[in-house]
C-alpha cells in the first residue's frame, strides 16, 4: 500500500502448510484498517468449496467493509488435497465453478422473492416460502460496488478457452505465475476474442500476471 501498488491478491487453501490462509476474505478483512488505498483481492475464492449463496453473501459483506476496495478473484479450486478433504475429488470442479458464479451473480442482480433455478445447475436458491420482507427476512446481501465488484479469474493452461468466456462476460484474467512466458500471449489473444464476440474493445489493464512478492517483516520473510 505504501509503495503505491494497485491491488494485492491473497489465496486460500485448507490443506497446505506453506500457503496456510484458509479463507482469503477473512484474512483480507484484517488488512482493511492497515491499508488505506490498495485494492484487496481474493486470490482466489475457491467456488467448489462452499455453497455460492455463502460466497455471495460474504463477498458482499467484505465489499461493504472495505467500501469498495474489493476485487472478487475466483477459481474452481485446484489443490487436490483440498478437494479430497471436502469429498469432491471425483467431481467436476470446473462445472461446479461455472454453476456457482452464475448463482452468485443472480443473487446480486435479483430482489426477493428469490427463485433461482438455472438450467443444468445443481444450486437452487429460494427464500419464497419463509421470507417476511416487512421484518427484513429473506433478503440476500448486495455488494457495495454497483453493479458488482470486478471479477477476476485465474488462468493456468496455455490457450485456455476459459479466457474467451471471461472476455464475453467482462471477467478479467489473472495469468498464473508458474505459466511459461511463451504462453502468456495465448491468454491475451483468447481474451480479445471473447471481448470481440461481446462487441467490446479489450483493455490491456483488465489483464493481470500473477507475481509473488516477498516482504521482510522483522526477522521473518512472508510471501504476500
Amino acid at each position: 500500500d505504501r509503495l503505491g501498488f494497485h491491488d494485492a491478491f491473497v489465496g486460500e487453501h485448507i490443506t497446505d502448510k506453506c500457503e496456510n490462509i484458509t479463507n482469503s476474505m477473512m484474512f483480507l478483512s484484517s488488512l482493511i484498517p492497515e491499508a488505506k488505498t490498495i485494492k484487496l483481492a481474493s486470490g482466489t475464492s475457491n467456488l467448489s468449496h462452499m455453497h455460492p449463496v455463502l460466497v455471495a453473501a460474504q463477498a458482499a459483506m467484505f465489499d461493504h467493509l472495505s467500501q469498495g476496495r474489493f476485487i472478487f478473484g475466483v477459481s474452481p479450486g485446484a489443490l487436490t488435497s483440498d478437494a479430497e478433504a471436502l469429498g469432491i475429488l471425483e467431481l467436476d470442479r470446473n462445472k461446479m465453478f461455472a454453476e456457482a458464479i452464475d448463482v452468485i451473480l443472480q443473487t446480486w442482480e435479483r430482489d426477493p422473492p428469490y427463485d433461482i433455478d438455472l438450467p443444468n445447475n445443481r444450486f437452487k436458491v429460494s427464500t419464497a416460502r419463509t421470507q417476511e420482507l416487512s421484518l427484513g427476512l429473506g433478503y440476500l446481501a448486495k455488494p457495495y460496488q454497483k453493479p458488482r465488484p470486478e471479477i477476476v479469474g485465474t488462468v493456468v493452461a496455455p490457450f485456455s478457452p476459459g479466457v474467451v468466456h471471461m472476455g464475453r462476460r467482462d471477467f478479467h484474467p489473472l495469468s498464473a505465475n508458474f505459466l511459461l512466458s511463451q504462453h502468456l500471449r495465448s491468454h491475451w489473444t483468447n481474451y480479445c476474442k471473447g471481448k470481440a464476440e461481446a462487441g467490446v474493445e479489450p483493455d490491456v489493464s483488465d489483464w493481470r500476471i500473477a507475481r509473488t512478492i516477498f516482504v521482510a517483516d522483522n526477522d521473518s520473510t512472508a510471501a504476500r
Side-chain angles (χ1 to χ4, degrees), residues 35-138:
K36 304 299 185 183
T37 304
I38 195 169
K39 290 212 167 191
L40 303 170
S42 56
T44 59
S45 295
N46 299 321
L47 298 190
S48 66
H49 292 183
M50 192 182 300
H51 195 286
V53 166
L54 289 173
V55 180
Q58 291 169 1
M61 178 180 174
F62 184 86
D63 199 31
H64 281 272
L65 288 173
S66 66
Q67 294 189 309
R69 287 193 294 127
F70 175 49
I71 298 172
F72 187 33
V74 293
S75 73
L79 192 63
T80 53
S81 55
D82 283 359
E84 182 180 7
L86 292 168
I88 59 172
L89 183 59
E90 308 304 327
L91 299 184
D92 185 344
R93 296 191 297 282
N94 287 317
K95 187 173 189 299
M96 294 175 72
F97 165 80
E99 293 168 351
I101 195 65
D102 285 343
V103 169
I104 289 168
L105 293 176
Q106 288 287 309
T107 69
W108 288 348
E109 293 167 2
R110 296 191 185 190
D111 294 313
Y114 300 97
D115 187 17
I116 301 171
D117 188 0
L118 302 174
N120 302 313
N121 193 309
R122 77 195 69 203
F123 301 109
K124 316 299 179 185
V125 181
S126 175
T127 61
R129 292 174 57 197
T130 56
Q131 70 176 15
E132 186 56 66
L133 301 185
S134 63
L135 299 176
L137 302 178

Side-chain angles (χ1 to χ4, degrees), residues 200-222:
V200 179
E201 189 71 24
D203 187 337
V204 73
S205 66
D206 295 341
W207 183 33
R208 293 172 174 85
I209 301 170
R211 297 175 177 86
T212 300
I213 299 174
F214 290 89
V215 181
D217 183 10
N218 297 327
D219 294 329
S220 64
T221 301

